[in-house]
Amino acid sequence: MKFLRTVFFFVLALTAVNAFAQSSAELKRRRDKLNEELQQLNDEYEATAKNKKTTLKQLNILKAQISLREDKINTLNSEVRLLGNQINENTNNVHSLQSQLDQLKKEYAAMIVFAYHNQSAYNKLMFVFASQDFNQAYKRLTYLQQFGTYRQRQAESIQGTQKELKVKINELDRTKDQQSTLLKDQEKEKQTLGQEKNSQLAVISDLSKHQGELKQQLKDAQQQKAKIESQIRVAIRREVEEARRKAEAEARAAAARAAAERARLAAANPGSPAPKEPAPAAAKASTNSELLNATPEFAKLSNDFLGNKGRLPWPVANGVITQEFGLTYIEGIKTDNPGIDIRTNSGAGVRAIFSGEVTSVNNISGTYLVVVRHGEYFTAYANLKSVSVSKGDKIGIKQNLGTVATDGATGETQVHFELYKGQNAVNPKLWLATQ
């Protein structure tokens, strides 16, 4: 039982160590990725700052920087907490090993005292020869041999414990150094975040002096998004109507088959009364969801898509959200975004976030829009410079759809992404995996 308990605690400790290593590695990978994205944004901002005229691009970059900076600070917080837990665990291990070492030394000292008092061969021989019989003499001789062996093992155990204690103390010191470095990095990030927020206020203040131009920029952007949303809704409505047409055609075919069967029975039994025609069922208006999930294939696709909510890949391999879903205000000017805007690298590929069927490819003011159906769900990818799919294509998850366009006037490279359940737009960010 004692052995099983020891094995259990060993496995538990090993699992905890592995979990810490995995969590620590994942957080470090996340921090490194954030650093890379922040550096790209910083380079882009410096390039735009050389232009004396303040633009929305500068504001969008600052907003993205602030969002990433806050994400990095949260990541650092998680790393600090993780290291704090590791420090507490290592501290407890050091105390436990120190207690074991003290106890081993105490027991070893007692053995040394005993051995000192019985160190002469004469005393050992007298201890053996004073036995009452041969069996007792044998046991006493064996005891003396085992005592010597145990004494040697105790000395080895003390040395092993001392080495393990030294390793744990060094590990504890390294963890404390890592935590100290992360705390300094965290403080530096907070200062940088404050500077970026001040820069954001300055840019907003400068933009407010040119509200006419700002309103025009926002108006142009909203008009483009309105065109995109209109085309998306047309594509979805077309799919719904096609599904309704197929359902009605199937109902008519079923009614015709039933009428033919009644006629056949009447002809086969001329003397019998004709089978009564069933009373027409009350018309039932199918919902969009029922129509779009009418076939087992689309029903399964919808279910699989829903089952991956929060884990779907991003439409670009690397990107930062520059404008969130829904209503936002810039210096009192309201904008309504039916999707999200994702800044990415020039020439970046756009990919499908799930398997499905391309329902439409449209050219809108010189850039392309691709709409993909996933059962009753639809995803839309706008502001593409080129496309590599056609209407009706069956596509797989992460399949390339085209490349993102770069705005010649602002130099911004971003994809506009929307997600619909039926004809209702939903926040895409809630469905995408955390990068």
Side-chain angles (χ1 to χ4, degrees), residues 127-141:
F127 176 68
V128 174
F129 288 135
S131 304
Q132 294 179 356
D133 52 36
F134 178 80
N135 187 43
Q136 188 180 56
Y138 175 75
K139 287 181 178 180
R140 288 187 174 186
L141 183 61

Side-chain angles (χ1 to χ4, degrees), residues 69-329:
R69 193 79 58 188
E70 289 172 341
D71 197 357
K72 182 180 177 182
I73 289 172
N74 290 334
T75 302
L76 287 169
N77 284 336
S78 298
E79 288 190 272
V80 168
R81 283 196 299 270
L82 196 64
L83 287 173
N85 293 337
Q86 187 67 9
I87 287 171
N88 290 336
E89 184 180 342
N90 285 339
T91 300
N92 292 335
N93 287 336
V94 167
H95 289 161
S96 177
L97 287 170
Q98 189 64 58
S99 297
Q100 291 178 31
L101 184 60
D102 292 342
Q103 184 62 30
L104 286 170
K105 286 182 177 179
K106 185 177 178 181
E107 292 174 1
Y108 190 72
M111 283 191 295
I112 294 297
V113 171
F114 177 81
Y116 175 77
H117 289 301
N118 299 275
Q119 61 183 337
S120 68
Y122 175 77
N123 287 339
K124 292 178 181 177
L125 287 174
M126 287 300 296
F127 176 68
V128 174
F129 288 135
S131 304
Q132 294 179 356
D133 52 36
F134 178 80
N135 187 43
Q136 188 180 56
Y138 175 75
K139 287 181 178 180
R140 288 187 174 186
L141 183 61
T142 304
Y143 165 74
L144 290 174
Q145 292 173 341
Q146 289 176 343
F147 180 80
T149 303
Y150 179 71
R151 181 174 154 187
Q152 182 180 357
R153 287 178 180 172
Q154 282 290 91
E156 292 173 353
S157 182
I158 288 172
Q159 290 177 347
T161 305
Q162 285 176 327
K163 288 180 180 178
E164 188 177 357
L165 180 61
K166 185 178 180 181
V167 168
K168 286 296 180 184
I169 290 174
N170 289 336
E171 185 179 335
L172 179 61
D173 290 339
R174 284 196 304 271
T175 308
K176 286 181 177 179
D177 289 341
Q178 289 176 10
Q179 188 185 52
S180 177
T181 301
L182 286 177
L183 286 170
K184 290 177 182 177
D185 193 11
Q186 185 184 61
E187 188 59 34
K188 181 181 176 183
E189 291 300 320
K190 287 180 179 178
Q191 292 176 1
T192 305
L193 178 63
Q195 293 169 2
E196 288 172 347
K197 287 184 175 180
N198 289 335
S199 298
Q200 184 185 38
L201 291 174
V203 169
I204 290 174
S205 176
D206 194 26
L207 284 172
S208 66
K209 297 174 184 176
H210 307 88
Q211 273 213 354
E213 295 178 17
L214 177 60
K215 285 182 178 179
Q216 188 58 48
Q217 291 180 50
L218 291 173
K219 183 180 178 181
D220 292 343
Q222 285 296 103
Q223 286 177 347
Q224 180 73 356
K225 286 177 182 176
K227 291 178 183 178
I228 292 169
E229 187 177 10
S230 175
Q231 288 295 326
I232 295 169
R233 291 191 180 280
V234 166
I236 295 174
R237 188 163 56 249
R238 188 168 55 243
E239 289 296 309
V240 172
E241 292 306 317
E242 177 65 16
R244 190 183 304 279
R245 185 191 63 76
K246 287 181 179 178
E248 291 173 351
E250 179 60 31
R252 287 194 298 270
R257 287 194 296 271
E261 179 64 15
R262 288 194 301 273
R264 186 187 68 78
L265 291 173
N269 303 281
S272 301
K276 291 184 179 180
E277 184 176 347
K284 180 185 176 183
S286 298
T287 64
N288 287 350
S289 180
E290 290 172 336
L291 290 170
L292 292 171
N293 288 316
T295 66
E297 178 189 2
F298 280 134
K300 182 179 185 306
L301 198 55
S302 296
N303 188 59
D304 291 345
F305 190 88
L306 177 61
N308 281 279
K309 183 177 181 179
R311 299 194 301 270
L312 293 168
W314 281 47
V316 288
N318 293 291
V320 180
I321 295 176
T322 55
Q323 188 173 352
E324 299 280 356
F325 173 84
L327 289 175
T328 56
Y329 292 85

